[in-house]
C-alpha cells in the first residue's frame, strides 16, 4: 500500500482486506545524558512514525549499535528493557549453567548416514524442537548476569564469545557437560561434522587444556548445535536457586564451569 515510490513515514503492507501492517526502522543518536530517559525518547521518536500513519503499535524490535566492549552493558541495560540479558555481563565468580545436552551435530551426521534408529531419530528431533522458553522464564525470575544460546559455534565457541564480550576468562569442567545418548560413541566412529573442525580452527587458539582430554570430548565441545540450550552466567549465591527452578520446570540443567577473573576471553578446560 505504501512503498518506496513516495517517501513516507513508514511502509504499509496489506495482509488482508481489513488488516495492514505498518513498519518502520529508526536509528536515533543520544540527545540526553541519562540512559533510561534516552531509551524513552528513542522509543517515542520511533513510535511517532507509526502514530502518524494512523496505526496502533503492536510489536517492537530493538536495533542497537552500541560499543558494549568499551562502555559495558549497564548503560545499555538502562536504555533497553529492565529484563534485558546480554552475553557480555558475566562476572568473576559466576557459575556457568548449561541447559540441554550436547551432541546434535554428531547425531545429525549419523542420521544422514542412516545410522540412527527410528526411536533415536525421534528423540533427536524432539530435543531440537524443544523451546528454551521455560529456561528463559526461570532465568528472568532468578536473575543472571549473562546468557547465550549454544548453536553453530558449539559450546566452546559460544562460551568464548561470552567470555570475550564480558572481558573475563572462564573455566569449563568437561566431566560436568551432559552429552546426548550415543554422542560419544558416534564421535569416536568419526561421525563429526565439518563445522566442528571449523569451530576448532577458529576458536581453538583461545582454549587451554589442563591435563588429558580425549579427542572425542573435545570434538563434542566444538560440535555445532542445532537449537541447543542456554549457557547462563549466574552469581554463585543464586546458582542453586536457578538450578532448582530449572529442574522444577522440567528443564535439564547442569553447572559446567565458572567465570575466573577479568581477562581476554580465554577458556580453560580442566576437571574440578
Amino acid at each position: 500500500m505504501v512503498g518506496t515510490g513516495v517517501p513516507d513515514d513508514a511502509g504499509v503492507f496489506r495482509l488482508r482486506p481489513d488488516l495492514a501492517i505498518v513498519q518502520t526502522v529508526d536509528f536515533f543518536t543520544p540527545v540526553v545524558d541519562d540512559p533510561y530517559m534516552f531509551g524513552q525518547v528513542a522509543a517515542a521518536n520511533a513510535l511517532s512514525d507509526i502514530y502518524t500513519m494512523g496505526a496502533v503499535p503492536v510489536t517492537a524490535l530493538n536495533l542497537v549499535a552500541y560499543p558494549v566492549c568499551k562502555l559495558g552493558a549497564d548503560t545499555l541495560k538502562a536504555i533497553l528493557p529492565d529484563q534485558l540479558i546480554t552475553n557480555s555481563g558475566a562476572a568473576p565468580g559466576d557459575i556457568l549453567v548449561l541447559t540441554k545436552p550436547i551432541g546434535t551435530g554428531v547425531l545429525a551426521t549419523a542420521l544422514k548416514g542412516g545410522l540412527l534408529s527410528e526411536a533415536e531419530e525421534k528423540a533427536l528431533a524432539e530435543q531440537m524442537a524443544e523451546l528454551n522458553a521455560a529456561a528463559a522464564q526461570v532465568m528472568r525470575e532468578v536473575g543472571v548476569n549473562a546468557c547465550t544460546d549454544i548453536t553453530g559455534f558449539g559450546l566452546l565457541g559460544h562460551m568464548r564469545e561470552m567470555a570475550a564480550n564480558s572481558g573475563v576468562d572462564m573455566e569449563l569442567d568437561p566431566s560436568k557437560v551432559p552429552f546426548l545418548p550415543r554422542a560419544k560413541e558416534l564421535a569416536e566412529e568419526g561421525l563429526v561434522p565439518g563445522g566442528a573442525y571449523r569451530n576448532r580452527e577458529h576458536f581453538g587458539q583461545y582454549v587451554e587444556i589442563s591435563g588429558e582430554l580425549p579427542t572425542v570430548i573435545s570434538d563434542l565441545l566444538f560440535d555445532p548445535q542445532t537449537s541447543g540450550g542456554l549457557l547462563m552466567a549466574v552469581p554463585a549465591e543464586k546458582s542453586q536457586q536457578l538450578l532448582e527452578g530449572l529442574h522444577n520446570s522440567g528443564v535439564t540443567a547442569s553447572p559446567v564451569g565458572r567465570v575466573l577473573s577479568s581477562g581476554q576471553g580465554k577458556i580453560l578446560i580442566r576437571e574440578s
Side-chain angles (χ1 to χ4, degrees):
M1 296 172 65
V2 177
T4 58
V6 178
D8 213 317
D9 293 293
V12 183
F13 186 86
R14 187 186 298 277
L15 299 179
R16 60 176 191 247
D18 62 336
L19 181 66
I21 184 170
V22 180
Q23 252 185 332
T24 180
V25 178
D26 199 2
F27 275 99
F28 191 70
T29 55
V31 292
V32 294
D33 291 331
D34 181 81
Y36 184 77
M37 179 57 67
F38 168 59
Q40 291 182 303
V41 173
N45 182 75
L47 289 173
S48 287
D49 288 338
I50 301 299
Y51 288 126
T52 196
M53 303 294 290
V56 177
V58 176
T59 66
L61 173 67
N62 288 314
L63 183 63
V64 184
Y66 179 85
V68 68
C69 294
K70 181 178 180 181
L71 299 181
D74 289 342
T75 300
L76 182 59
K77 289 179 180 178
I79 294 172
L80 298 175
D82 292 340
Q83 291 186 319
L84 175 73
I85 300 170
T86 70
N87 70 355
S88 58
D94 282 356
I95 303 299
L96 299 173
V97 174
L98 176 69
T99 68
K100 287 191 180 185
I102 298 296
T104 59
V106 167
L107 266 70
T109 301
L111 176 61
K112 294 174 184 176
L115 300 176
L116 295 188
S117 67
E118 186 175 326
E120 289 169 337
E121 179 181 353
K122 182 175 183 292
L124 174 61
E126 288 176 349
Q127 149 107 2
M128 294 188 294
E130 181 183 342
L131 298 178
N132 287 316
Q137 177 63 33
V138 175
M139 176 178 71
R140 287 192 297 270
E141 292 173 354
V142 174
V144 302
N145 285 332
C147 182
T148 189
D149 63 329
I150 309 304
T151 51
F153 290 156
L155 176 57
L156 285 177
H158 288 287
M159 193 172 173
R160 152 65 189 177
E161 279 194 333
M162 180 190 284
N165 290 348
S166 301
V168 297
D169 293 332
M170 293 180 173
E171 178 182 85
L172 177 69
D173 184 344
S175 68
K176 301 290 181 60
V177 177
F179 297 107
L180 287 168
R182 292 196 68 199
K184 294 180 184 179
E185 170 198 338
L186 293 167
E188 285 178 340
E189 294 176 4
L191 293 165
V192 178
Y197 299 110
R198 289 190 291 273
N199 286 339
R200 184 192 298 274
E201 181 180 356
H202 185 71
F203 297 109
Q205 59 186 310
Y206 308 109
V207 177
E208 178 182 322
I209 300 174
S210 176
E212 295 293 326
L213 183 69
T215 301
V216 63
I217 299 300
S218 63
D219 284 343
L220 286 166
L221 295 179
F222 282 111
D223 184 42
Q225 303 299 288
T226 297
S227 185
L230 302 181
L231 180 67
M232 311 172 198
V234 59
E237 62 272 17
K238 292 183 177 181
S239 61
Q240 193 58 38
Q241 181 187 358
L242 176 66
L243 287 166
E244 289 177 358
L246 291 169
H247 293 154
N248 290 339
S249 297
V251 177
T252 301
S254 305
V256 296
R258 61 193 178 100
V259 180
L260 296 175
S261 60
S262 297
Q264 301 299 313
K266 182 177 70 175
I267 307 299
L268 175 63
I269 299 180
R270 65 181 175 192
E271 293 190 12
S272 58

